[in-house]
Amino acid sequence: MSSSHGPTPSGPAALPSHPDARIDGTETPFSRFLRVDVVRFRHRLFSGEWSAERVYDVLRRGDAVALMLYDPDRDSVVLVEQFRLPALYARLSPWQIEPVAGLVDKDETYEAVARRESREEAGVEPLGELIPIQRYLPSPGDSDEAVMLFCGRVDSSGAAGVHGLPEEQEDIRVVVKTMAELEAMVEAGRIETGHTLIGCYWLLRHRDRLRREWLGR
């Protein structure tokens, strides 16, 4: 992996300066697993003038990583299923199917996080180099979370069971789907999280290239 995907700070980073933003003040009324900053700011308008002071609540999450695990030999994908409480608030099923994913800890590279989460959540080790897909903002209107998506090669033949860290009360089940099954789930609207959808669409578009590169055919 290139140096552009190197170490990043743990948790939310300090707000960098930008010529189109003026920060008048920041308060942090809540900080636990999640952190909320209340920011008073002004920004440059399209007219070139400056806005009046605005007040925004920003959910500080920092960097995260997600990894699509693809087995070109079996044309299958290793995903995980777990209980997601916030999905209930959206009136969706709390049982969500996703790629392995996790937050970036101090002095970890994105690739190291992807490999760690693959072992912890799915009990498998990616083979060879990971392929960067996209770094994106899931919800730029209210959160600073930025997710780095990867695709990695895996042997899915032994992928099964329930995994996760007991100290974090994780209860994560491995789900292996063929590409035909995955495509049918996407078409039926059964994939409901953003990073999963982006990863699925990317893999559906690039699977033939990956099979040629990884299998030589």
Side-chain angles (χ1 to χ4, degrees):
M1 187 172 59
S2 68
S3 59
S4 62
H5 307 300
T8 55
S10 174
L15 186 65
S17 62
H18 192 281
D20 294 332
R22 295 176 180 171
I23 307 302
D24 296 332
T26 302
E27 298 177 358
T28 304
F30 179 84
S31 180
R32 196 171 58 179
F33 178 71
L34 299 176
R35 168 180 151 187
V36 176
D37 285 357
V38 180
V39 184
R40 294 182 292 107
F41 71 103
R42 305 169 194 270
H43 68 89
R44 196 180 302 276
L45 302 173
F46 289 114
S47 66
E49 302 296 323
W50 286 89
S51 71
E53 184 176 85
R54 304 180 65 183
V55 180
Y56 239 69
D57 298 341
V58 181
L59 178 63
R60 306 298 308 278
R61 285 273 287 174
D63 282 299
V65 169
L67 174 62
M68 294 293 293
L69 293 166
Y70 177 55
D71 183 342
D73 293 287
R74 296 166 183 83
D75 201 25
S76 297
V77 181
V78 177
L79 300 163
V80 293
E81 182 180 18
Q82 58 187 310
F83 188 91
R84 296 296 201 185
L85 178 64
L88 281 176
Y89 286 89
R91 295 178 293 279
L92 296 171
S93 170
W95 296 103
Q96 291 290 319
I97 293 178
E98 306 167 275
V100 297
L103 296 176
V104 177
D105 291 334
K106 185 178 181 181
D107 297 328
E108 280 188 303
T109 64
Y110 293 140
E111 182 170 345
V113 176
R115 293 183 180 280
R116 169 170 57 80
E117 293 298 334
S118 182
R119 292 189 296 269
E120 292 179 359
E121 295 189 350
V124 296
E125 182 70 42
L127 307 172
E129 293 290 323
L130 303 184
I131 299 174
I133 297 175
Q134 175 75 45
R135 186 170 183 253
Y136 85 105
L137 299 168
S139 186
D142 56 29
S143 176
D144 71 343
E145 182 177 20
V147 179
M148 182 66 211
L149 295 175
F150 288 99
C151 180
R153 183 177 180 177
V154 71
D155 178 356
S156 65
S157 61
V162 176
H163 304 269
L165 299 178
E167 61 269 26
E168 296 184 8
Q169 297 183 310
E170 291 181 327
D171 184 54
I172 302 171
R173 185 178 68 162
V174 171
V175 176
V176 180
K177 297 290 183 182
T178 66
M179 287 298 296
E181 291 172 328
L182 186 67
E183 186 172 17
M185 292 176 68
V186 170
E187 292 297 324
R190 293 174 57 199
I191 300 297
E192 297 170 330
T193 61
H195 61 294
T196 315
L197 278 171
I198 294 172
C200 287
Y201 280 122
W202 184 92
L203 190 52
L204 287 167
R205 180 181 179 184
H206 292 278
R207 65 192 281 214
D208 291 340
R209 174 176 64 84
L210 294 179
R211 287 169 66 86
R212 288 195 302 270
E213 292 178 359
W214 287 344
L215 301 178
R217 62 173 186 264

